[in-house]
Amino acid sequence: MERTFVMIKPDGVQRNLVGEILARYEKKGYKLLAMKLMRVTEELAHQHYAEHVGKPFFPGLVEYITSGPVVALVLGGKGVVAGVRAMNGATNPANAAPGTIRGDYGIEVGRNVVHASDSVESAEREIAIYFKEEEILAYEKNVDAWLY
Ligand code: RTP
Ligand code: MG
C-alpha cells in the first residue's frame, strides 16, 4: 500500500484542529498506519527539511516547527501521496483553495497547519526519520464485526 508522512504542525495542535484534520483524512478513506504526539527537535527539523537548509525562510521554519507539540502520522491508501497534498492545498494558505485544509484554516505561509510528503520517495525518507518500522501497524478493518 502507498504510504505518506503527514504532520499536524504546532499551530494545528495549539488551535485545537487535530480532530478536524484527522477526520478529513479518515473520511476520505486513507488508513491510519501510525500516529504520535511529539516535539520536533532542531536536529530532527534539519533532517526533515534538509532540502531547505540555507534558504531565507529556513531559520523561521525551524523555530516554527520546534515551537510546540506536533502530531506525526503515517497514512496509507491508493494515491495517498498526491491525494493528501491536494487535501492540504497550496503551501501559502493565502493561495490555497477553499475546501483544502490550508485554504480553510490558514492565512500565513509561516503558519500553514500541515505538512505532507511531496513524492513516494520523500514519503519513505520522512517516515524513516519519524517512525521505527514497528510503530507502523498493518491491520484490517471490518466495521460490521465491531458493531455487532
Ligand atoms: P511542507 O513540506 O511543510 O508540506 O510544505 P510544502 O511542501 O507545501 O512547501 P515547502 O516548499 O516544502 O516548504 C516547507 C515549509 O516551509 C515553510 N515556508 N515558508 N516564508 C516562506 O516563504 C516559506 N516558504 C516555505 C512552510 O511552512 C512550508 O510548509
Ligand atoms: Mg515540502
Side-chain angles (χ1 to χ4, degrees):
M1 190 193 292
E2 187 173 304
R3 310 190 296 181
T4 195
F5 174 72
V6 178
M7 182 188 287
I8 303 176
K9 293 179 175 179
D11 49 332
V13 174
Q14 294 295 325
R15 293 174 56 209
N16 305 318
L17 295 172
V18 172
E20 294 271 341
I21 293 168
L22 278 177
R24 288 186 182 218
Y25 299 138
E26 279 191 305
K27 287 176 190 169
K28 172 73 177 172
Y30 298 133
K31 197 165 184 180
L32 193 51
L33 302 178
M35 175 163 78
K36 62 182 162 190
L37 183 71
M38 61 178 288
R39 289 293 287 249
V40 178
T41 61
E42 291 235 352
E43 193 192 340
L44 211 49
H46 277 74
Q47 261 183 283
H48 176 170
Y49 283 120
E51 63 178 316
H52 298 310
V53 173
K55 292 185 184 170
F57 64 81
F58 186 73
L61 173 58
V62 173
E63 192 182 351
Y64 164 46
I65 214 74
T66 60
S67 64
V70 303
V71 177
L73 304 166
V74 179
L75 298 179
K78 190 173 179 184
V80 69
V81 170
V84 172
R85 292 283 290 186
M87 290 178 74
N88 284 0
T91 306
N92 187 341
N95 305 324
T100 65
I101 293 169
R102 287 163 172 168
D104 288 350
Y105 300 129
I107 43 179
E108 160 63 50
V109 69
R111 298 284 182 272
N112 64 356
V113 190
V114 281
H115 160 80
S117 310
D118 60 13
S119 66
V120 170
E121 298 72 45
S122 306
E124 290 305 317
R125 188 188 74 84
E126 292 168 9
I127 289 168
I129 291 173
Y130 284 92
F131 290 96
K132 300 180 190 128
E133 236 358 273
E134 64 262 29
E135 291 177 311
I136 303 167
L137 306 186
Y139 62 101
E140 300 216 330
K141 280 188 175 172
N142 178 350
V143 176
D144 284 351
W146 287 95
L147 270 172
Y148 306 106

